[in-house]
Amino acid sequence: MSNYAETFSEIYTGRPTGRQLYLHEKISCVPISNVSTVASKKCFALLGYACDEGVKRNLGRPGAVNGPDAIRKHFGKLPNHLPTETLLYDVGTLQCLEGDMEVTQRALSDSICQLLQHKHFPIVLGGGHDMAYGSYNGLKKYVAKGETIGIINFDAHFDLRNNRQDNGHTVNNSGTPFYQIAQDCQADGTLFKYLCLGIRQDANDRILFETAKELDVKYIMRDTFRIQFHNEINAWINAFTGNVDHIYVTIDLDGFSSAYAPGVSAPSPMGFTPDVVLESLKTIMATGKLRVLDIAELNPDFDRDDQTAKLAASLVHYVLHAERN
């Protein structure tokens, strides 16, 4: 793929121990073309999505193109508690060339399907939230016909903007991926199952709430998406996941309060906190249905002391280790 770049092991650094005590000593960088089916109990594959063309089209602050490597640099420094037999790969990065976001999304879709076919758990590092369209479609290609996919989005925004312009042209961006998915589902008769956690009224206009209602989107407002309500939140998550066969989770870092995630395109101090996300992820992973995870909207240009990159790396670390058994 012309828009594919291999990851080299030099990006993963940290304290040397010779005993794989840290993830930079555990992870192996391999070209995605060399991925093959594994018999290991668990195999995780990190894949970068270096694209912020969708953010630019959505009039946001560019810079998320550098998100994948920023996450990698901090991920490698984290401690490794994975079993010896668990495999951890970095399979490279998909790049957006000449502003052609749609080609990058298709490459992401193909790559995720390939990883799933080879029994790898894909974790995509972004990159603008337009990645969600590629991530979802990769899983959709993989699952059997008639099986349902539930999307769970940790986000302040619905990302349900209509991609059709007044002049009749279609313009996809980082704010349209779930609207695009919904339209595809209507076209092919697939059920559109979408749960959004952390929605803010000050981050979505009236039309977006109306669209969410029309599409029967389930959502929890930020006022309720708080750790003190975790029992109620877990009940809603279980009700949603109980009616789907597979789960795709996407975490938009701009949903977090800027106290935790300043390095995003659209920061706000009114966002949610990491503890409620971790509690929710625990509930989701307990279903055994999680198939794909991605993390979107890291913008290193606006980070403070790499705080947002560290948050993203720690989220990946949490999922890896919660899934290890």
Side-chain angles (χ1 to χ4, degrees):
M1 292 180 289
S2 60
N3 63 337
Y4 172 79
E6 184 178 348
T7 300
F8 296 101
S9 59
E10 288 78 10
I11 197 167
Y12 290 105
T13 61
R15 187 186 301 273
T17 68
R19 293 181 291 166
Q20 292 196 356
L21 296 182
Y22 294 90
L23 288 172
H24 71 91
E25 299 176 302
K26 173 75 170 175
I27 195 164
S28 299
C29 296
V30 298
I32 196 168
S33 58
N34 290 354
V35 166
S36 59
T37 302
V38 294
S40 173
K41 185 177 181 181
K42 286 289 183 182
C43 183
F44 298 95
L46 305 187
L47 175 65
Y49 179 82
C51 177
D52 60 6
E53 174 63 23
V55 176
K56 295 175 185 175
R57 296 181 190 179
N58 201 24
L59 306 181
R61 304 189 298 181
V65 65
N66 298 314
D69 282 351
I71 298 173
R72 287 175 169 122
K73 289 176 182 176
H74 291 283
F75 178 73
K77 295 178 172 65
L78 297 176
N80 169 39
H81 300 286
L82 296 171
T84 303
E85 65 272 17
T86 295
L87 301 177
L88 177 60
Y89 294 137
D90 187 311
V91 296
T93 296
L94 300 170
Q95 302 172 320
C96 183
L97 304 179
E98 299 180 353
D100 199 335
M101 181 185 78
E102 286 74 14
V103 166
T104 316
Q105 288 174 319
R106 288 195 293 271
L108 177 59
S109 173
D110 291 342
S111 297
I112 286 178
C113 184
Q114 177 186 352
L115 291 169
L116 290 168
Q117 288 171 340
H118 289 297
K119 310 305 179 187
H120 292 48
F121 181 93
I123 300 177
V124 189
L125 312 177
H129 212 178
D130 39 274
M131 69 196 302
Y133 189 66
S135 293
Y136 174 86
N137 278 299
L139 178 56
K140 188 175 182 179
K141 287 181 183 179
Y142 170 74
V143 304
K145 186 175 181 180
E147 294 184 333
T148 54
I149 299 172
I151 305 166
I152 301 180
N153 180 23
F154 293 86
D155 202 342
H157 308 93
F158 285 118
D159 287 343
L160 287 169
R161 292 190 182 279
N162 193 319
N163 61 346
R164 297 196 178 279
Q165 306 299 300
D166 291 338
N167 58 12
H169 294 152
T170 298
V171 180
N172 304 318
N173 59 56
S174 63
T176 66
F178 303 109
Y179 180 83
Q180 294 173 251
I181 292 169
Q183 296 305 299
D184 291 348
C185 288
Q186 289 179 359
D188 62 21
T190 306
L191 292 175
F192 178 59
K193 298 282 191 176
Y194 180 31
L195 171 64
C196 201
L197 305 175
I199 286 293
R200 297 202 327 264
Q201 192 172 37
D202 67 339
N204 299 271
D205 63 35
R206 172 172 43 84
I207 299 299
L208 291 169
F209 278 96
E210 291 173 358
T211 302
K213 183 177 181 180
E214 291 169 4
L215 296 174
D216 195 27
V217 173
K218 312 302 182 187
Y219 59 92
I220 299 177
M221 297 294 293
R222 165 65 186 101
D223 291 348
T224 306
F225 193 55
R226 298 154 64 183
I227 193 62
Q228 54 264 52
F229 300 126
H230 68 89
N231 287 333
E232 292 89 342
I233 294 167
N234 289 343
W236 289 324
I237 291 172
N238 284 326
F240 178 82
T241 58
N243 290 310
V244 299
D245 300 305
H246 308 277
I247 300 169
Y248 156 49
V249 166
T250 180
I251 303 175
D252 190 328
L253 294 167
D254 70 21
F256 290 92
S257 167
S258 53
Y260 303 96
V264 295
S265 175
S268 172
M270 303 300 289
F272 45 71
T273 59
D275 53 0
V276 69
V277 173
L278 297 179
E279 181 68 28
S280 300
L281 285 171
K282 184 190 302 182
T283 302
I284 294 165
M285 289 184 288
T287 67
K289 298 179 181 180
L290 180 59
R291 306 288 181 255
V292 179
L293 170 79
D294 64 35
I295 297 183
E297 299 288 353
L298 172 60
N299 189 329
D301 292 351
F302 298 96
D303 215 353
R304 291 195 303 266
D305 195 28
D306 297 335
Q307 189 173 347
T308 317
K310 292 175 182 176
L311 172 62
S314 291
L315 289 168
V316 176
H317 183 275
Y318 180 84
V319 171
L320 287 183
H321 290 83
E323 281 277 300
R324 70 182 185 274
N325 296 319

